Amino acid sequence: MIREVLEAGLVGRGGAAFPTGRKWQATAQQADGPHYLVCNADESEPGTFKDRVLMEGDPYALVEAMTIAGYAVGAHQGYVYLRGEYPRAFERLAHALASARTRGLLGPDVLGQGYAFDIEIRRGAGAYICGEETAIFNSIEGQRGEPRSKPPFPVEKGLFGKPTAVNNVETLVNVLPILEHGAAAYAATGTETSTGTKLFCVSGQVDRPGVYELPFGANLRELLDLAGPPGRLRAVLLGGAAGGFVRPDELDVPLTFEGTRAAGTTLGSGVVLVLDDSVELPRVLLRIAEFFRDESCGQCVPCRVGTVRQEEALHRIVDRTGAGAAEDIALMREVGQAMRDASICGLGQTAWNAVESAIDRLGVYK
């Protein structure tokens, strides 16, 4: 099973794009036990709602995929860390788990094969930081939702200090077509390095906002054509609050992890926020900065102080351009680089991304 997932080229759909098969293999090979499986269903990136749609639409797919993943990594207990603001997903997933136990698909003897596996739901309390894989462990264990320093990595010491595989909801449900049709059939879709399909969450000034599934390699223009783009496009934010902006003349960027990286932005978890020229970009950036200030756990100084300084600077220049904004932009560059270099986790490391791309690519304060 691990070989099939490796050969299929499946990578994490939560934004990090780490090869799923390698993570499973590394967890399965650990001598220490017991092993655990954690499904990251926290989905708190602004503009992301694909995992909610998956869990509400087909919770059994996640139950099946987690059982497969648990078997592959040698785990007998799985946890779904579910965003607290998803009551419908919670109800449907809880019902699916109860049905699966009744039918012998979960429990001490799955399908009569002598393999024990069960799944618990743990609900988050609205903390963005708990979308970080090690902060999930702390939250499940009843500690403060703060990220841990790495190494050791989760595959060595994760939940309860034991080897743990952490996968996003979308990543896990992609395992099902791989095992049903084979790695070669799965890898035939998409590109050589980004295989399969991807779910994109399109919102903002479009006619048909929603979740769209496209094969990797389709470009941004094709996606916007499906959603109904605005008449006068100003910019597209890819990857959510931690992502980067794309100009209207860059819509041919391929929607792959490597393609967006080469274009100087990121695919992230699949957020596509479309903005027309009626939007005041300085106020959008200020809202993003306020979000990061609120959601910083405060554990490390670069992020705790840097997110506040970034927000303060954006407040000062919200109605300024040119020379009036130059000093604060220089300050934000210095603070942003410090956050990127020295923050413990991805929150601080990416808190400057959207602001930087708006300044450099869109010329917001010129």
Side-chain angles (χ1 to χ4, degrees), residues 166-177:
V166 186
N167 289 118
N168 172 267
V169 174
E170 187 188 354
T171 309
L172 285 165
V173 298
N174 267 277
V175 171
L176 303 180

Side-chain angles (χ1 to χ4, degrees), residues 39-191:
C39 170
N40 184 351
D42 194 51
E43 195 171 46
S44 47
E45 183 68 51
T48 316
F49 41 88
K50 59 185 175 58
D51 290 348
R52 175 170 66 86
V53 170
L54 286 170
M55 289 184 288
E56 291 178 1
D58 189 0
Y60 292 98
L62 182 59
V63 175
E64 182 182 4
M66 285 187 68
T67 307
I68 290 168
Y71 179 76
V73 303
H76 298 288
Q77 180 64 51
Y79 292 90
V80 178
Y81 189 83
L82 180 66
R83 180 174 174 174
E85 296 92 338
Y86 282 177
R88 183 178 294 160
F90 173 73
E91 290 168 10
R92 293 187 177 176
L93 201 52
H95 179 267
L97 292 174
S99 298
R101 289 189 195 102
T102 302
R103 294 162 190 264
L105 303 173
L106 286 176
D109 189 15
V110 175
L111 288 171
Q113 298 297 308
Y115 167 61
F117 185 75
D118 210 338
I119 299 169
E120 280 186 40
I121 302 174
R122 295 292 175 93
R123 299 181 75 179
Y128 175 73
I129 191 65
C130 286
E132 199 276 338
E133 59 183 4
T134 59
I136 288 179
F137 303 152
N138 280 344
S139 183
I140 291 175
E141 292 171 14
Q143 303 176 52
R144 284 176 64 93
E146 294 178 341
R148 303 174 182 176
S149 296
K150 293 182 272 192
F153 293 96
V155 296
E156 301 162 328
K157 289 187 181 297
L159 186 62
F160 305 117
K162 299 299 182 181
T164 306
V166 186
N167 289 118
N168 172 267
V169 174
E170 187 188 354
T171 309
L172 285 165
V173 298
N174 267 277
V175 171
L176 303 180
I178 292 173
L179 295 186
E180 186 175 0
H181 304 293
Y186 183 87
T189 304
T191 67

Side-chain angles (χ1 to χ4, degrees), residues 325-338:
E327 187 176 337
D328 280 306
I329 288 174
L331 172 67
M332 284 193 294
R333 287 191 192 281
E334 190 175 335
V335 170
Q337 195 58 50

